[in-house]
Amino acid sequence: MVSSASSFKPAQIGNRGLYFAAAILLSWLGMLIFLLNFTIDWQNPLVYLFVLVQTHLYTGVFITAHDSIHGVVAPNNKRLNDGIGFLCATLFAFNNYNRLRQKHHLHHKHSATHDDPDYHDGNPGFLAWYYSFLKEYISVIQVVLMAVTYNLLKLWFPMENLIAFWMVPAVLSTFQLFYFGTYLPHRGEHHNPPHNARSQKLNHITAFLSCYFFGYHAEHHAWPYLPWWKLPEARERRNDGL
């Protein structure tokens, strides 16, 4: 039995969204500064671990922008909420926050239909859908800004560090976000309109490591006012049929 959205109301978020946002942004920035000055030895397994850690933090930066779109980072201060969303979207490869917000609300309104900008008609394989997804969101100005930023950062940091710890994690993060937040939840047939989304099995460790609990995607569509760190509670309650 799946409960209706009206049967689950979130506790007051207060300033906790700001604390989570600050933790993610400071962790991402601190790790980036450390890694851009890190001496790379390709035989050192820490290099590859650091790439994965920075990828996960990049994903957290985007998730924070996403929660700002839903107004739950600073729910009592719209200007601050949108300011954090704008900052996070910009740090994530110069994404346009207002454009992201418009398209994401369309995704929720028309989930897995022809009017959903995240959906690829015909349910193709992962790579074809991923390519379509990127075309929907990446603009020429973003590519230009990334190229300019890269060439400026090269004046102070080694090229291989920029590639390994700034560029590669950003690209891997798009795979992570797309695979766990769009492809798995929305591919194939659905039986829960209008959300047209499914969730991964209940496991908070893998759900956090995979994509900040966005594998609990049916819950996100049922209760989009919940921040990412409240999704485990929603998943538990749906799993228990409450």
Side-chain angles (χ1 to χ4, degrees), residues 99-201:
R99 185 165 176 261
L100 282 177
R101 178 167 55 187
Q102 180 184 24
K103 286 182 177 291
H104 190 66
H105 285 312
L106 286 174
H107 166 65
H108 275 267
K109 185 177 181 180
H110 306 289
S111 180
T113 69
H114 296 293
D115 296 318
D116 179 359
D118 294 0
Y119 187 66
H120 193 297
D121 189 28
N123 294 313
F126 172 81
L127 289 178
W129 194 341
Y130 176 70
Y131 176 68
S132 173
F133 183 82
L134 290 183
K135 285 199 304 180
E136 188 70 35
Y137 285 96
I138 293 180
S139 66
V140 173
I141 188 63
Q142 283 178 257
V143 176
V144 171
L145 288 172
M146 286 292 287
V148 170
T149 304
Y150 169 74
N151 282 282
L152 288 175
L153 290 174
K154 269 200 316 182
L155 299 175
W156 294 282
F157 303 107
M159 181 181 67
E160 62 179 0
N161 289 61
L162 285 169
I163 294 173
F165 300 128
W166 182 60
M167 297 177 68
V168 170
V171 173
L172 291 178
S173 179
T174 65
F175 275 95
Q176 184 179 4
L177 287 160
F178 172 74
Y179 185 73
F180 292 103
T182 298
Y183 180 70
L184 288 183
H186 293 297
R187 67 175 178 172
E189 298 295 326
H190 301 277
H191 305 285
N192 60 338
H195 306 310
N196 294 326
R198 65 178 63 83
S199 288
Q200 69 181 76
K201 293 181 179 179

Side-chain angles (χ1 to χ4, degrees), residues 187-232:
R187 67 175 178 172
E189 298 295 326
H190 301 277
H191 305 285
N192 60 338
H195 306 310
N196 294 326
R198 65 178 63 83
S199 288
Q200 69 181 76
K201 293 181 179 179
L202 187 64
N203 185 317
H204 294 339
I205 294 176
T206 58
F208 172 72
L209 292 177
S210 61
C211 198
Y212 291 79
F213 304 120
F214 267 82
Y216 299 156
H217 209 73
E219 287 73 26
H220 170 57
H221 275 263
W223 304 298
Y225 50 75
L226 291 180
W228 66 265
W229 41 273
K230 292 287 287 183
L231 290 175

Side-chain angles (χ1 to χ4, degrees), residues 16-29 64 73 84 88:
R16 283 181 291 172
L18 290 173
Y19 301 149
F20 279 103
I24 288 172
L25 284 168
L26 290 175
S27 297
W28 173 83
L29 180 60
T64 303
V73 171
I84 293 172
C88 291

Side-chain angles (χ1 to χ4, degrees), residues 56-115:
H56 189 66
L57 291 173
Y58 254 111
T59 298
V61 170
F62 187 87
I63 292 295
T64 303
H66 165 272
D67 274 7
S68 294
I69 287 171
H70 287 288
V72 296
V73 171
N76 299 318
N77 189 327
K78 187 177 186 303
R79 179 174 293 182
L80 178 60
N81 178 86
D82 289 341
I84 293 172
F86 177 86
L87 173 63
C88 291
T90 301
L91 291 174
F92 197 89
F94 295 100
N95 274 277
N96 184 306
Y97 176 69
N98 290 327
R99 185 165 176 261
L100 282 177
R101 178 167 55 187
Q102 180 184 24
K103 286 182 177 291
H104 190 66
H105 285 312
L106 286 174
H107 166 65
H108 275 267
K109 185 177 181 180
H110 306 289
S111 180
T113 69
H114 296 293
D115 296 318

